[in-house]
Amino acid sequence: MFSMMEAARLEALHLAEDPASGLKAVIAIHNTRFGPALGGCRYLAYADEQSAIGDAIRLAQGMSYKAALAGIDHGGGKAVIIRPAHLQSRAALFEAFGRFIETLNGRYITAIDSGTSSADMDCIAQYTNHATSTTSEGDPSPHTALGVFAGIRATAQARLGSDDLEGLRVAVQGLGNVGFALAEALHAAGVELLVSDLDAGRVQLAVEQLGAHPITSDALLTTPCDILAPCGLGGVLNAQTVAHLRCAAVAGAANNQLASPEVADQLEARGILYAPDYVLNAGGLIYVALRHRGEELPAITAHLAQISRRLTEIYAHAQAEKRSPARVADYLAEGLLYRT
């Protein structure tokens, strides 16, 4: 466990168990140089406890990089709750998690993530002030999608020479809250949509409402398109899948899209422009951070514009240095987090 923490440069790892509610939770705090750690809470089934801990550590590191390049006064953290096989009361479980967060004295602020909802955050908020994306604060998903859409336009400008998306073919993998909102924005911009999701109902909705073309999840990665937008879970880009991509760029909302750092170099070698995921999908983090400190929507929307500007800056560095944008983004983030 300590070797995992050292490799990720993690500040702290907190574990909690509450037999009465069934809570088994991990909170990873990666970096608090710029402020308290902020990051979502996942509620998922894991193969084992080590997998849950590894997930929390990896995601917390990504949140630190995301927060640093988004220019908000927060560090990165992540929480994972291992979903029990048998649950008596979901509310009681999240209330217990709220009490756990309160013991950290403000070093970590939670938010919704895979498997959690604003209703869950409401339960947590009964026992701590260090929770955001509650029912009153609102769902950050539309703002994540808004930032990704702006980033896709910046990516099209950098790779295809224009930020006008009309007529482009964009393949959206994953139609959850963010993926579907992104698909709606792309449709409004005149994009030809290719979509896939494990939920056939979400695919059918995109076909009926957005005129999307349904593609199986396996086939989507090898289907010709201008831009591939991974919007599901991470790790979709590996040595095998990248070898068969038929797109000009990859720009999507999913966290941890690269199975390893070397995959970024493989994309670069193939001439496929990669939008670093934690830069592109920072809209949700920006929204929850600014809402939590009381900012109004116009200020939040103005801050979201920094996503495309930062991405354009990274693309310029990458082109000048002949390096992957992912490597450039990591270098810039690490400079802010670790170098004086």
Side-chain angles (χ1 to χ4, degrees), residues 224-245:
C225 61
D226 295 295
I227 297 172
L228 170 66
C231 296
L233 295 178
V236 68
L237 300 176
N238 56 49
Q240 290 72 40
T241 57
V242 168
H244 296 96
L245 293 182

Side-chain angles (χ1 to χ4, degrees), residues 49-60:
E49 293 169 359
Q50 194 73 7
S51 298
I53 292 170
D55 202 23
I57 291 174
R58 183 178 67 256
L59 291 164

Side-chain angles (χ1 to χ4, degrees), residues 70-127:
I72 60 173
D73 298 327
H74 284 281
K78 207 72 172 185
V80 162
I81 297 176
I82 300 173
R83 191 173 67 200
H86 305 287
L87 181 65
Q88 294 292 328
S89 168
R90 185 175 178 118
L93 182 140
F94 281 96
E95 287 166 9
F97 184 61
R99 292 191 291 270
F100 174 32
I101 291 174
E102 185 64 15
T103 67
L104 302 182
N105 299 314
R107 294 192 67 232
Y108 168 69
I109 301 167
T110 199
I112 64 171
D113 205 311
S114 301
T116 57
S117 67
S118 292
D120 297 325
M121 298 301 114
D122 290 345
C123 292
I124 293 168
Q126 293 181 53
Y127 293 90

Side-chain angles (χ1 to χ4, degrees), residues 71 170 225 296 321:
V170 180
C225 61
E296 297 297 331
E321 299 165 16

